[in-house]
Amino acid sequence: MEDAKGKLLESINNPDDLKKISVDQLEDVCQELRDYIIDVVSTNPGHFGASLGVVELTVALHYVYNAPYDQLVWDVGHQAYGHKILTGRKNQFDTNRKYKGLSGFPKRTESEYDAFGVGHSSTSISAALGMAIASRIKGEEERKVVAVIGDGAMTGGMAFEALNNAGGENADILVILNDNNMAIDPSVGGLNKYLLNISKSDTYNRMKHDVWEGLGKLDGFGKKARRFIQKNQHALKNMILKENNLFEAFNFRYFGPIDGHDVRYLTSALNDLKDIPGPKLLHVITQKGKGFKQAEQDQTKWHAPGIFDKETGEIYKCDCKADQAPKFQNVFGDTLVELAEKNDKIVGITPAMPTGCSMNKMIEQMPGRAFDVGIAEQHAVTFSAGLAAQGMVPFCNIYSTFMQRAYDQVIHDVAIQKLPVIFCLDRGGLVGEDGPTHHGVFDMAYMRSVPNMIVSAPMDEIELRNLMYTAQLGEINQPFSIRYPRGCGIITDWKKEFEKIEIGKGRKLNDGSDVALLSIGKTGIFAQLAVKSLAKNDISAAHYDMRFVKPLDTEMLTKVMQNFDQIVTIEDGTIQGGFGSAILEFMAENGFTNKIKILGIPDQFIEHGTPEELYRECGIDAQGIVDTVKQLVGKTKAI
């Protein structure tokens, strides 16, 4: 991809090279950087709109600050592609999110310029504060620390906890609020309205611009006057906006809002802010997808569009396989609406992922009964608990990896009170190219350890549909977890009549005599393929789809233990404490000594790659199951 880089970008291998370029050339650098991101991501899919929106900010930060000595912390990391390109990874950028290639997020082990590993939102201010305090303790007075956080991530409670702490400590930290009125979907809530009021105050912004430009034309006195206004502008804001500034209430000096696509002005403002001590917040207005027309117009669709034509904007990504089996998330979204039409107590809740989890279907059709609460998983769970306490039937849909952030609320606010909240955990298991920060491999282990919790995982679309139906019948007065994978299922004709599933009951899918395969969730699909392959090798494998991790089907398990010496458990979750561990506990409690092999995610963080590559690495794909069974039963005939 050498020909894709512009002449200026070609000469930049690190931030020191960038600093050799004149301020007058920075706009050209930004254009070349934006073009390069478009060129690479169009053929190697990744997060698109977020990085385009911060090109100018990224260039300005690396032009002004002395990274890696100065610490630049990116919140979430969707927007860090430009940062990676400018910090020595330009020629490897076409491996981004590929197996054994660059991570799609900042990662400390990948580069010294990645000050903090990220992937989940709202962490940047806390991390930056820790770094700033460490620098204070070590006497590193010249080191600067900057956190870049979006308006969507700012809705997370952790961000406000950090602001409160940083203001109280009077820490020397700069928080840059990258305000584009978007998370993945449009930002919501009171904070969003507050930021819009600030950014759209024509009176204040016009006066600020006119005064600033006028002072800049004055020799000598002008620069001092500018700094005086920077340090005291809150009084001007309060007078014009007729309200106190939220961030100044946290003891942060607030600057802005300014145009986040004016790279010259950004570099000037950042240079001035370097000399101002204490906690500061710079409010920057940007446009997600800036510089690519289609991404500007449909920012949700172009958050991560897949492969596309960079000239026409046509997206080539196929949503599902040719047989048109639906995505699990769409089965959830359609089924939720169907159930809600029949049960007026059903309410939908999602923390800022309505499109990703297909809750948008219910939000559009029943806006008073479905809620996007912003990036606030803890609140989403306790909000759901409050609804359940008043007799509603909340379907709380959270990605498995993000549910980890609300674990205390699951225990304290839901399970202890035995409230019937239905947790629908999307993206359960290995999710692919987003890597370890997004793999949903812990939920079966952490959910099954909670008293009063039902833990289930459907193998296919029909099972998901029926588990959702069963959970909302009102017959179970306790929390119910349903986890399902990212991507498409295997059944095209999935809209069947609802059937109640007996809690804690599995199903036998294949008879066999040599070995028993016990699967949970999506791994049942792999087990089915393995059964066919093993039969070609004269190995007779029985297959049981257990459906529930808690409670287990003890009657079925007893029969399995009595009839099979060799047993293999398969899960798309962590081995430690997961489904296989539950089977071992059952065996120990009941005196069974069968030979058992547990297949799942090992005790390590799995890196990024396609799901197929990662399943193979962990040995839970069809071939991995076949290899394990052949070794277990002592047969080595080749397939």
Tab-separated table of all heavy atoms in Angstrom, residues 40-95:
chain	number	residue	atom	x	y	z
A	40	VAL	N	-7.203	2.184	3.362
A	40	VAL	CA	-6.929	0.895	4.019
A	40	VAL	C	-8.207	0.275	4.564
A	40	VAL	O	-8.471	-0.919	4.367
A	40	VAL	CB	-5.889	1.072	5.148
A	40	VAL	CG1	-5.728	-0.234	5.924
A	40	VAL	CG2	-4.545	1.504	4.570
A	41	VAL	N	-9.032	1.059	5.247
A	41	VAL	CA	-10.212	0.494	5.894
A	41	VAL	C	-11.262	0.074	4.873
A	41	VAL	O	-12.087	-0.804	5.151
A	41	VAL	CB	-10.795	1.492	6.920
A	41	VAL	CG1	-12.035	0.925	7.603
A	41	VAL	CG2	-9.746	1.833	7.975
A	42	SER	N	-11.218	0.620	3.678
A	42	SER	CA	-12.178	0.211	2.654
A	42	SER	C	-11.985	-1.247	2.248
A	42	SER	O	-12.939	-1.924	1.841
A	42	SER	CB	-12.072	1.109	1.419
A	42	SER	OG	-10.829	0.926	0.755
A	43	THR	N	-10.760	-1.758	2.347
A	43	THR	CA	-10.483	-3.145	1.971
A	43	THR	C	-10.176	-4.035	3.169
A	43	THR	O	-10.250	-5.258	3.064
A	43	THR	CB	-9.290	-3.207	0.996
A	43	THR	OG1	-8.141	-2.605	1.609
A	43	THR	CG2	-9.620	-2.468	-0.292
A	44	ASN	N	-9.811	-3.440	4.286
A	44	ASN	CA	-9.544	-4.185	5.516
A	44	ASN	C	-10.464	-3.624	6.599
A	44	ASN	O	-10.133	-2.663	7.269
A	44	ASN	CB	-8.075	-4.039	5.938
A	44	ASN	CG	-7.781	-4.801	7.209
A	44	ASN	OD1	-8.329	-5.879	7.447
A	44	ASN	ND2	-6.917	-4.245	8.050
A	45	PRO	N	-11.647	-4.196	6.777
A	45	PRO	CA	-12.693	-3.577	7.599
A	45	PRO	C	-12.255	-3.276	9.030
A	45	PRO	O	-11.475	-4.018	9.638
A	45	PRO	CB	-13.808	-4.633	7.581
A	45	PRO	CG	-13.571	-5.422	6.358
A	45	PRO	CD	-12.080	-5.473	6.181
A	46	GLY	N	-12.803	-2.181	9.534
A	46	GLY	CA	-12.540	-1.772	10.908
A	46	GLY	C	-13.466	-0.637	11.294
A	46	GLY	O	-14.434	-0.337	10.604
A	47	HIS	N	-13.157	0.015	12.406
A	47	HIS	CA	-13.935	1.172	12.836
A	47	HIS	C	-13.519	2.360	11.986
A	47	HIS	O	-12.341	2.687	11.889
A	47	HIS	CB	-13.698	1.434	14.324
A	47	HIS	CG	-14.186	0.313	15.194
A	47	HIS	ND1	-13.330	-0.579	15.796
A	47	HIS	CD2	-15.432	-0.072	15.524
A	47	HIS	CE1	-14.041	-1.470	16.484
A	47	HIS	NE2	-15.308	-1.183	16.329
A	48	PHE	N	-14.484	3.005	11.394
A	48	PHE	CA	-14.199	3.962	10.331
A	48	PHE	C	-14.488	5.409	10.717
A	48	PHE	O	-13.599	6.252	10.757
A	48	PHE	CB	-15.013	3.565	9.097
A	48	PHE	CG	-14.729	4.374	7.866
A	48	PHE	CD1	-13.463	4.395	7.310
A	48	PHE	CD2	-15.737	5.109	7.258
A	48	PHE	CE1	-13.195	5.135	6.156
A	48	PHE	CE2	-15.495	5.845	6.104
A	48	PHE	CZ	-14.218	5.859	5.558
A	49	GLY	N	-15.742	5.706	11.003
A	49	GLY	CA	-16.151	7.088	11.206
A	49	GLY	C	-15.440	7.786	12.345
A	49	GLY	O	-15.114	8.969	12.255
A	50	ALA	N	-15.180	7.061	13.440
A	50	ALA	CA	-14.588	7.694	14.623
A	50	ALA	C	-13.194	8.233	14.335
A	50	ALA	O	-12.844	9.348	14.748
A	50	ALA	CB	-14.544	6.690	15.775
A	51	SER	N	-12.373	7.448	13.625
A	51	SER	CA	-11.012	7.897	13.328
A	51	SER	C	-11.002	9.059	12.342
A	51	SER	O	-10.165	9.968	12.453
A	51	SER	CB	-10.180	6.735	12.787
A	51	SER	OG	-9.803	5.853	13.828
A	52	LEU	N	-11.910	9.053	11.363
A	52	LEU	CA	-11.975	10.183	10.436
A	52	LEU	C	-12.316	11.470	11.166
A	52	LEU	O	-11.834	12.557	10.808
A	52	LEU	CB	-13.026	9.916	9.352
A	52	LEU	CG	-12.743	8.805	8.328
A	52	LEU	CD1	-13.806	8.823	7.237
A	52	LEU	CD2	-11.361	8.942	7.729
A	53	GLY	N	-13.141	11.360	12.206
A	53	GLY	CA	-13.587	12.544	12.919
A	53	GLY	C	-12.528	13.222	13.767
A	53	GLY	O	-12.688	14.392	14.132
A	54	VAL	N	-11.443	12.518	14.090
A	54	VAL	CA	-10.413	13.104	14.962
A	54	VAL	C	-9.070	13.245	14.255
A	54	VAL	O	-8.033	13.353	14.905
A	54	VAL	CB	-10.238	12.291	16.266
A	54	VAL	CG1	-11.504	12.324	17.098
A	54	VAL	CG2	-9.792	10.863	15.969
A	55	VAL	N	-9.058	13.257	12.937
A	55	VAL	CA	-7.796	13.384	12.211
A	55	VAL	C	-7.058	14.653	12.615
A	55	VAL	O	-5.870	14.636	12.965
A	55	VAL	CB	-8.043	13.353	10.687
A	55	VAL	CG1	-6.827	13.889	9.928
A	55	VAL	CG2	-8.345	11.932	10.240
A	56	GLU	N	-7.741	15.789	12.569
A	56	GLU	CA	-7.084	17.062	12.913
A	56	GLU	C	-6.647	17.082	14.369
A	56	GLU	O	-5.537	17.547	14.695
A	56	GLU	CB	-8.024	18.237	12.620
A	56	GLU	CG	-8.221	18.524	11.143
A	56	GLU	CD	-9.232	17.602	10.475
A	56	GLU	OE1	-9.913	16.851	11.211
A	56	GLU	OE2	-9.356	17.632	9.248
A	57	LEU	N	-7.485	16.569	15.253
A	57	LEU	CA	-7.130	16.531	16.666
A	57	LEU	C	-5.922	15.635	16.896
A	57	LEU	O	-5.020	15.977	17.680
A	57	LEU	CB	-8.326	16.025	17.487
A	57	LEU	CG	-8.106	15.880	18.996
A	57	LEU	CD1	-7.701	17.213	19.621
A	57	LEU	CD2	-9.369	15.339	19.657
A	58	THR	N	-5.873	14.504	16.215
A	58	THR	CA	-4.749	13.584	16.360
A	58	THR	C	-3.444	14.234	15.900
A	58	THR	O	-2.414	14.148	16.588
A	58	THR	CB	-5.000	12.307	15.536
A	58	THR	OG1	-6.224	11.710	15.950
A	58	THR	CG2	-3.865	11.314	15.704
A	59	VAL	N	-3.489	14.873	14.749
A	59	VAL	CA	-2.296	15.548	14.236
A	59	VAL	C	-1.857	16.655	15.189
A	59	VAL	O	-0.666	16.792	15.506
A	59	VAL	CB	-2.561	16.112	12.822
A	59	VAL	CG1	-1.432	17.032	12.380
A	59	VAL	CG2	-2.727	14.968	11.829
A	60	ALA	N	-2.799	17.449	15.669
A	60	ALA	CA	-2.463	18.545	16.582
A	60	ALA	C	-1.854	18.025	17.882
A	60	ALA	O	-0.878	18.595	18.393
A	60	ALA	CB	-3.711	19.373	16.873
A	61	LEU	N	-2.410	16.963	18.426
A	61	LEU	CA	-1.880	16.403	19.677
A	61	LEU	C	-0.432	15.957	19.517
A	61	LEU	O	0.431	16.253	20.364
A	61	LEU	CB	-2.744	15.234	20.134
A	61	LEU	CG	-4.066	15.588	20.817
A	61	LEU	CD1	-4.959	14.352	20.944
A	61	LEU	CD2	-3.816	16.204	22.189
A	62	HIS	N	-0.158	15.235	18.445
A	62	HIS	CA	1.208	14.741	18.261
A	62	HIS	C	2.162	15.840	17.801
A	62	HIS	O	3.379	15.710	17.955
A	62	HIS	CB	1.218	13.568	17.281
A	62	HIS	CG	0.814	12.272	17.915
A	62	HIS	ND1	1.564	11.670	18.907
A	62	HIS	CD2	-0.263	11.477	17.719
A	62	HIS	CE1	0.973	10.543	19.284
A	62	HIS	NE2	-0.144	10.412	18.596
A	63	TYR	N	1.627	16.920	17.261
A	63	TYR	CA	2.465	18.060	16.877
A	63	TYR	C	2.879	18.873	18.100
A	63	TYR	O	3.992	19.388	18.172
A	63	TYR	CB	1.689	18.942	15.899
A	63	TYR	CG	2.545	19.936	15.137
A	63	TYR	CD1	3.379	19.511	14.104
A	63	TYR	CD2	2.508	21.291	15.431
A	63	TYR	CE1	4.153	20.414	13.396
A	63	TYR	CE2	3.274	22.207	14.732
A	63	TYR	CZ	4.108	21.767	13.709
A	63	TYR	OH	4.871	22.662	13.016
A	64	VAL	N	1.990	18.947	19.082
A	64	VAL	CA	2.223	19.801	20.248
A	64	VAL	C	2.880	19.042	21.401
A	64	VAL	O	3.804	19.542	22.050
A	64	VAL	CB	0.893	20.428	20.729
A	64	VAL	CG1	1.072	21.145	22.063
A	64	VAL	CG2	0.344	21.365	19.666
A	65	TYR	N	2.426	17.827	21.656
A	65	TYR	CA	2.912	17.087	22.827
A	65	TYR	C	4.084	16.186	22.477
A	65	TYR	O	4.300	15.824	21.304
A	65	TYR	CB	1.783	16.272	23.450
A	65	TYR	CG	0.790	17.148	24.172
A	65	TYR	CD1	-0.344	17.633	23.518
A	65	TYR	CD2	1.000	17.534	25.489
A	65	TYR	CE1	-1.246	18.465	24.164
A	65	TYR	CE2	0.099	18.364	26.149
A	65	TYR	CZ	-1.012	18.823	25.482
A	65	TYR	OH	-1.898	19.654	26.127
A	66	ASN	N	4.814	15.812	23.485
A	66	ASN	CA	6.041	15.040	23.331
A	66	ASN	C	5.801	13.586	23.715
A	66	ASN	O	6.359	13.080	24.688
A	66	ASN	CB	7.161	15.654	24.182
A	66	ASN	CG	8.487	14.936	23.996
A	66	ASN	OD1	8.764	14.398	22.927
A	66	ASN	ND2	9.304	14.918	25.042
A	67	ALA	N	4.957	12.907	22.957
A	67	ALA	CA	4.722	11.486	23.215
A	67	ALA	C	5.949	10.693	22.743
A	67	ALA	O	6.603	11.074	21.774
A	67	ALA	CB	3.477	11.021	22.465
A	68	PRO	N	6.304	9.600	23.432
A	68	PRO	CA	5.538	8.933	24.488
A	68	PRO	C	5.804	9.451	25.901
A	68	PRO	O	5.191	8.955	26.843
A	68	PRO	CB	5.985	7.477	24.354
A	68	PRO	CG	7.409	7.578	23.923
A	68	PRO	CD	7.453	8.761	22.997
A	69	TYR	N	6.755	10.432	26.063
A	69	TYR	CA	6.973	10.956	27.412
A	69	TYR	C	5.693	11.585	27.934
A	69	TYR	O	5.242	11.290	29.044
A	69	TYR	CB	8.111	11.969	27.411
A	69	TYR	CG	8.399	12.524	28.790
A	69	TYR	CD1	9.091	11.762	29.732
A	69	TYR	CD2	7.965	13.799	29.157
A	69	TYR	CE1	9.343	12.255	31.007
A	69	TYR	CE2	8.212	14.302	30.414
A	69	TYR	CZ	8.901	13.528	31.345
A	69	TYR	OH	9.139	14.015	32.611
A	70	ASP	N	5.088	12.450	27.146
A	70	ASP	CA	3.750	12.933	27.481
A	70	ASP	C	2.761	11.811	27.183
A	70	ASP	O	2.884	11.098	26.194
A	70	ASP	CB	3.395	14.168	26.639
A	70	ASP	CG	4.210	15.392	27.026
A	70	ASP	OD1	4.694	15.446	28.173
A	70	ASP	OD2	4.378	16.280	26.170
A	71	GLN	N	1.806	11.633	28.065
A	71	GLN	CA	0.905	10.494	27.986
A	71	GLN	C	-0.419	10.890	27.329
A	71	GLN	O	-1.139	11.768	27.822
A	71	GLN	CB	0.629	9.952	29.390
A	71	GLN	CG	1.887	9.580	30.162
A	71	GLN	CD	2.491	8.274	29.680
A	71	GLN	OE1	2.015	7.192	30.010
A	71	GLN	NE2	3.559	8.381	28.910
A	72	LEU	N	-0.742	10.250	26.199
A	72	LEU	CA	-1.995	10.493	25.497
A	72	LEU	C	-2.876	9.257	25.661
A	72	LEU	O	-2.517	8.168	25.210
A	72	LEU	CB	-1.744	10.761	24.012
A	72	LEU	CG	-0.745	11.877	23.667
A	72	LEU	CD1	-0.620	12.017	22.147
A	72	LEU	CD2	-1.165	13.198	24.289
A	73	VAL	N	-4.024	9.433	26.302
A	73	VAL	CA	-4.926	8.316	26.581
A	73	VAL	C	-6.200	8.491	25.770
A	73	VAL	O	-6.897	9.499	25.897
A	73	VAL	CB	-5.269	8.242	28.093
A	73	VAL	CG1	-6.167	7.037	28.368
A	73	VAL	CG2	-3.992	8.165	28.932
A	74	TRP	N	-6.509	7.488	24.949
A	74	TRP	CA	-7.701	7.521	24.101
A	74	TRP	C	-8.806	6.716	24.752
A	74	TRP	O	-8.603	5.567	25.145
A	74	TRP	CB	-7.389	6.942	22.720
A	74	TRP	CG	-6.314	7.674	21.997
A	74	TRP	CD1	-4.970	7.443	22.065
A	74	TRP	CD2	-6.474	8.776	21.104
A	74	TRP	NE1	-4.287	8.325	21.275
A	74	TRP	CE2	-5.187	9.162	20.663
A	74	TRP	CE3	-7.584	9.477	20.623
A	74	TRP	CZ2	-4.986	10.216	19.772
A	74	TRP	CZ3	-7.382	10.520	19.739
A	74	TRP	CH2	-6.101	10.884	19.323
A	75	ASP	N	-9.987	7.289	24.863
A	75	ASP	CA	-11.109	6.553	25.437
A	75	ASP	C	-11.697	5.615	24.389
A	75	ASP	O	-11.878	5.996	23.240
A	75	ASP	CB	-12.191	7.522	25.935
A	75	ASP	CG	-12.991	6.937	27.074
A	75	ASP	OD1	-13.829	6.047	26.809
A	75	ASP	OD2	-12.761	7.321	28.226
A	76	VAL	N	-11.989	4.400	24.779
A	76	VAL	CA	-12.502	3.331	23.909
A	76	VAL	C	-11.458	2.915	22.876
A	76	VAL	O	-11.070	1.754	22.803
A	76	VAL	CB	-13.820	3.703	23.195
A	76	VAL	CG1	-14.347	2.496	22.410
A	76	VAL	CG2	-14.870	4.168	24.182
A	77	GLY	N	-10.995	3.840	22.037
A	77	GLY	CA	-9.955	3.527	21.070
A	77	GLY	C	-10.432	3.348	19.648
A	77	GLY	O	-9.636	3.131	18.739
A	78	HIS	N	-11.749	3.460	19.413
A	78	HIS	CA	-12.254	3.389	18.037
A	78	HIS	C	-11.609	4.449	17.159
A	78	HIS	O	-11.488	4.271	15.946
A	78	HIS	CB	-13.775	3.640	18.013
A	78	HIS	CG	-14.585	2.543	18.611
A	78	HIS	ND1	-15.849	2.759	19.141
A	78	HIS	CD2	-14.335	1.220	18.760
A	78	HIS	CE1	-16.326	1.612	19.588
A	78	HIS	NE2	-15.436	0.673	19.365
A	79	GLN	N	-11.201	5.549	17.776
A	79	GLN	CA	-10.752	6.719	17.029
A	79	GLN	C	-9.232	6.793	16.892
A	79	GLN	O	-8.701	7.810	16.464
A	79	GLN	CB	-11.284	7.992	17.693
A	79	GLN	CG	-10.596	8.406	18.997
A	79	GLN	CD	-11.017	7.618	20.205
A	79	GLN	OE1	-10.890	6.402	20.226
A	79	GLN	NE2	-11.496	8.294	21.236
A	80	ALA	N	-8.509	5.736	17.223
A	80	ALA	CA	-7.053	5.828	17.338
A	80	ALA	C	-6.280	5.370	16.105
A	80	ALA	O	-5.069	5.205	16.167
A	80	ALA	CB	-6.584	5.024	18.558
A	81	TYR	N	-6.943	5.178	14.964
A	81	TYR	CA	-6.219	4.718	13.781
A	81	TYR	C	-5.175	5.738	13.333
A	81	TYR	O	-4.042	5.390	12.985
A	81	TYR	CB	-7.186	4.431	12.631
A	81	TYR	CG	-8.038	3.192	12.810
A	81	TYR	CD1	-7.939	2.395	13.950
A	81	TYR	CD2	-8.949	2.806	11.837
A	81	TYR	CE1	-8.720	1.264	14.116
A	81	TYR	CE2	-9.736	1.673	11.985
A	81	TYR	CZ	-9.621	0.910	13.129
A	81	TYR	OH	-10.397	-0.211	13.285
A	82	GLY	N	-5.558	7.010	13.293
A	82	GLY	CA	-4.594	8.044	12.923
A	82	GLY	C	-3.420	8.074	13.876
A	82	GLY	O	-2.259	8.229	13.459
A	83	HIS	N	-3.694	7.901	15.157
A	83	HIS	CA	-2.644	7.837	16.169
A	83	HIS	C	-1.679	6.694	15.872
A	83	HIS	O	-0.450	6.863	15.968
A	83	HIS	CB	-3.300	7.654	17.547
A	83	HIS	CG	-2.390	7.112	18.601
A	83	HIS	ND1	-1.450	7.880	19.248
A	83	HIS	CD2	-2.291	5.858	19.121
A	83	HIS	CE1	-0.809	7.127	20.127
A	83	HIS	NE2	-1.299	5.897	20.069
A	84	LYS	N	-2.200	5.543	15.498
A	84	LYS	CA	-1.328	4.394	15.203
A	84	LYS	C	-0.452	4.674	13.985
A	84	LYS	O	0.741	4.359	13.968
A	84	LYS	CB	-2.168	3.138	14.975
A	84	LYS	CG	-2.863	2.650	16.230
A	84	LYS	CD	-3.270	1.197	16.138
A	84	LYS	CE	-3.775	0.709	17.498
A	84	LYS	NZ	-3.686	-0.741	17.648
A	85	ILE	N	-1.050	5.281	12.967
A	85	ILE	CA	-0.303	5.552	11.737
A	85	ILE	C	0.839	6.528	11.991
A	85	ILE	O	1.936	6.377	11.433
A	85	ILE	CB	-1.258	6.097	10.661
A	85	ILE	CG1	-2.246	4.995	10.237
A	85	ILE	CG2	-0.499	6.619	9.448
A	85	ILE	CD1	-3.418	5.498	9.418
A	86	LEU	N	0.619	7.510	12.833
A	86	LEU	CA	1.643	8.529	13.107
A	86	LEU	C	2.699	8.073	14.095
A	86	LEU	O	3.693	8.775	14.299
A	86	LEU	CB	0.978	9.808	13.634
A	86	LEU	CG	0.060	10.570	12.673
A	86	LEU	CD1	-0.591	11.746	13.377
A	86	LEU	CD2	0.826	11.032	11.436
A	87	THR	N	2.498	6.928	14.715
A	87	THR	CA	3.420	6.483	15.765
A	87	THR	C	4.112	5.170	15.410
A	87	THR	O	4.188	4.245	16.221
A	87	THR	CB	2.688	6.339	17.105
A	87	THR	OG1	1.548	5.463	16.948
A	87	THR	CG2	2.220	7.683	17.626
A	88	GLY	N	4.603	5.089	14.159
A	88	GLY	CA	5.462	3.982	13.791
A	88	GLY	C	4.782	2.749	13.252
A	88	GLY	O	5.460	1.754	12.960
A	89	ARG	N	3.465	2.777	13.074
A	89	ARG	CA	2.761	1.588	12.605
A	89	ARG	C	2.104	1.788	11.246
A	89	ARG	O	1.230	1.026	10.840
A	89	ARG	CB	1.728	1.169	13.658
A	89	ARG	CG	2.368	0.592	14.907
A	89	ARG	CD	1.427	0.560	16.092
A	89	ARG	NE	1.322	1.856	16.747
A	89	ARG	CZ	0.619	2.084	17.854
A	89	ARG	NH1	-0.048	1.091	18.415
A	89	ARG	NH2	0.583	3.287	18.402
A	90	LYS	N	2.568	2.785	10.545
A	90	LYS	CA	2.006	3.141	9.243
A	90	LYS	C	2.101	1.978	8.250
A	90	LYS	O	1.120	1.643	7.575
A	90	LYS	CB	2.758	4.358	8.707
A	90	LYS	CG	2.400	4.791	7.309
A	90	LYS	CD	3.236	6.020	6.925
A	90	LYS	CE	4.727	5.705	7.013
A	90	LYS	NZ	5.576	6.896	6.768
A	91	ASN	N	3.259	1.354	8.172
A	91	ASN	CA	3.464	0.301	7.182
A	91	ASN	C	2.858	-1.037	7.595
A	91	ASN	O	2.826	-1.973	6.791
A	91	ASN	CB	4.959	0.128	6.907
A	91	ASN	CG	5.567	1.352	6.252
A	91	ASN	OD1	4.897	2.054	5.492
A	91	ASN	ND2	6.828	1.634	6.558
A	92	GLN	N	2.378	-1.139	8.826
A	92	GLN	CA	1.687	-2.345	9.294
A	92	GLN	C	0.187	-2.129	9.420
A	92	GLN	O	-0.541	-3.023	9.817
A	92	GLN	CB	2.242	-2.785	10.669
A	92	GLN	CG	3.675	-3.269	10.667
A	92	GLN	CD	4.657	-2.107	10.648
A	92	GLN	OE1	4.490	-1.135	11.374
A	92	GLN	NE2	5.678	-2.205	9.813
A	93	PHE	N	-0.268	-0.932	9.045
A	93	PHE	CA	-1.670	-0.612	9.287
A	93	PHE	C	-2.621	-1.506	8.494
A	93	PHE	O	-3.753	-1.730	8.899
A	93	PHE	CB	-1.934	0.867	8.965
A	93	PHE	CG	-3.317	1.324	9.298
A	93	PHE	CD1	-3.829	1.177	10.585
A	93	PHE	CD2	-4.142	1.891	8.325
A	93	PHE	CE1	-5.118	1.586	10.901
A	93	PHE	CE2	-5.423	2.304	8.632
A	93	PHE	CZ	-5.911	2.143	9.923
A	94	ASP	N	-2.148	-2.061	7.368
A	94	ASP	CA	-3.027	-2.943	6.599
A	94	ASP	C	-3.215	-4.306	7.275
A	94	ASP	O	-4.001	-5.132	6.806
A	94	ASP	CB	-2.518	-3.118	5.168
A	94	ASP	CG	-1.119	-3.709	5.096
A	94	ASP	OD1	-0.466	-3.845	6.143
A	94	ASP	OD2	-0.674	-4.039	3.977
A	95	THR	N	-2.512	-4.532	8.408
A	95	THR	CA	-2.748	-5.758	9.200
A	95	THR	C	-3.694	-5.489	10.360
A	95	THR	O	-3.933	-6.381	11.175
A	95	THR	CB	-1.430	-6.322	9.756
A	95	THR	OG1	-0.937	-5.474	10.824
A	95	THR	CG2	-0.376	-6.435	8.668
